[in-house]
Amino acid sequence: MHLPRTAAAATTALIIIILTAAVDILVITASPNQQLPNFTAVIIFGDSTVDTGNNNYLPDAVFRADHRPYGENFPTGQPTGRFSDGKLLPDFFASILGIKQLVPPFLHPNLSDSDIRTGVSFASAGTGYDDLTATIAQAISMDEQVEMFEEYVARLRRVVGDDAAKETVHGALVAVSAGANDFVDNYYDLMTRRLEFDLSGYQDFLLSKVQNLVKEVAGFVETKQGCCGSGLVEMAALCNEESPTCGKEMASNYVFWDSVHPTSTAYQILATNLSQQLASALSSASPPSS
């Protein structure tokens, strides 16, 4: 699959690899008193749960969320390619870190220098646990996401300067995995082998999946069926303008927006818990080597 080329690169303070299987929900708890470092960027790899719109720019993509009712609770009220009624976990997480309100897709044709400095998402709906899955679904495979990251790194160098780009990358490689630890390892291996700077200074924090805890989160009325359609099979093209929904105002009572993707409210809770868990992990770890 041919991807648009834009050379890129950097001194990102934080790389986050989020590889959540859409059918699972992460609820991670930690002390709310822990403080996060002053991270300056968020980088996202993964699937439809963290695709902020890359599939919109793939002409043959099978999975898209560029139509209503997706996005009806997004700030603009319009679909953006995010598989939810509003913002995704990357958006909320970047906001919690004080970086920005929305994480743009890397394939967006009009990325600004500020977008590059503060991070993007390389995730693609349909990316599975091997490149064959991604090819069949016309998604961006794991290898291609890392290729895109290389381009991003080159562009970031031009934005921040070579001296800054050559500094040791400080931060954390955070993998939120749905039991696919080998997938996480493959991403890390690809990045360390193909990038020009050494990632050995990263601290690895594998935040493991927590099963079935979503029911313990207060405030949700429906934890099994999605808001769109019957809530059992509808997603992507099957969740469309003709599909009945639970209602724009009622979506916050649901864990899932369609049959597999969480609502914006669920993502917000996950982002808060993830930030707390990361703060706790970083506070108890030794500083990365330089």
Side-chain angles (χ1 to χ4, degrees):
M1 174 176 55
H2 176 71
L3 295 174
R5 297 285 171 184
T6 60
T11 319
T12 32
L14 175 63
I15 292 181
I16 300 182
I17 299 183
I18 301 186
L19 307 168
T20 56
V23 294
D24 293 305
I25 287 294
L26 282 167
V27 178
I28 307 170
T29 58
S31 170
N33 299 319
Q34 301 289 351
Q35 297 298 311
L36 282 165
N38 185 27
F39 291 125
T40 59
V42 175
I43 310 298
I44 305 294
F45 299 86
D47 60 15
S48 57
T49 57
V50 286
D51 178 4
T52 57
N54 280 309
N55 273 38
N56 283 1
Y57 304 101
L58 302 179
D60 300 319
V62 175
F63 300 116
R64 292 177 179 270
D66 57 355
H67 54 273
R68 293 179 181 276
Y70 289 105
E72 66 177 26
N73 283 317
F74 195 73
T76 63
Q78 300 298 318
T80 63
R82 289 168 170 82
F83 284 81
S84 186
D85 59 311
K87 295 181 181 181
L88 302 185
L89 188 150
D91 304 311
F92 288 117
F93 194 64
S95 177
I96 289 171
L97 294 176
I99 296 173
K100 54 186 173 184
Q101 296 301 308
L102 299 173
V103 177
F106 180 66
L107 294 185
H108 193 288
N110 299 314
L111 289 178
S112 66
D113 287 352
S114 176
D115 291 327
I116 295 299
R117 284 195 301 270
T118 54
V120 296
S121 173
F122 302 101
S124 174
T127 298
Y129 295 103
D130 55 62
D131 290 349
L132 177 61
T133 304
T135 301
I136 294 173
Q138 289 298 315
I140 305 170
S141 70
M142 177 178 70
D143 285 275
E144 288 170 324
Q145 288 186 34
V146 175
E147 280 184 31
M148 290 162 59
F149 180 63
E150 289 182 282
E151 296 173 13
Y152 169 84
V153 169
R155 184 169 173 183
L156 183 55
R157 283 197 177 100
R158 293 202 298 270
V159 172
V160 303
D162 287 340
D163 290 341
K166 290 177 181 177
E167 294 178 2
T168 301
V169 180
H170 297 290
L173 176 62
V174 181
V176 181
S177 171
N181 295 349
D182 55 339
F183 196 25
V184 175
D185 291 340
N186 286 339
Y187 263 110
Y188 186 74
D189 181 59
L190 280 169
M191 287 193 293
T192 54
R193 280 192 291 107
R194 291 167 56 172
L195 291 178
E196 294 179 14
F197 52 79
D198 185 9
L199 289 182
S200 61
Y202 273 83
Q203 299 171 47
D204 294 330
F205 300 103
L206 182 61
L207 306 182
S208 61
K209 181 183 61 174
V210 181
Q211 295 268 17
N212 301 321
L213 289 183
V214 73
K215 294 180 181 179
E216 298 178 16
V217 178
F220 289 112
V221 175
E222 178 55 67
T223 63
K224 295 181 179 179
Q225 295 183 195
C227 175
C228 185
S230 68
L232 299 175
V233 298
E234 293 85 357
M235 65 168 287
L238 295 180
C239 177
N240 55 56
E241 289 187 274
E242 303 303 318
S243 306
T245 70
C246 64
K248 179 178 178 180
E249 293 76 18
M250 288 295 294
S252 61
N253 293 318
Y254 281 64
V255 171
F256 293 100
W257 169 248
D258 59 20
S259 60
V260 295
H261 300 101
T263 60
S264 186
T265 300
Y267 278 128
Q268 186 172 24
I269 292 172
L270 299 182
T272 299
N273 285 311
L274 174 59
S275 66
Q276 293 172 0
Q277 178 73 358
L278 179 58
S280 179
L282 288 174
S283 67
S284 60
S286 58
S289 58
S290 58

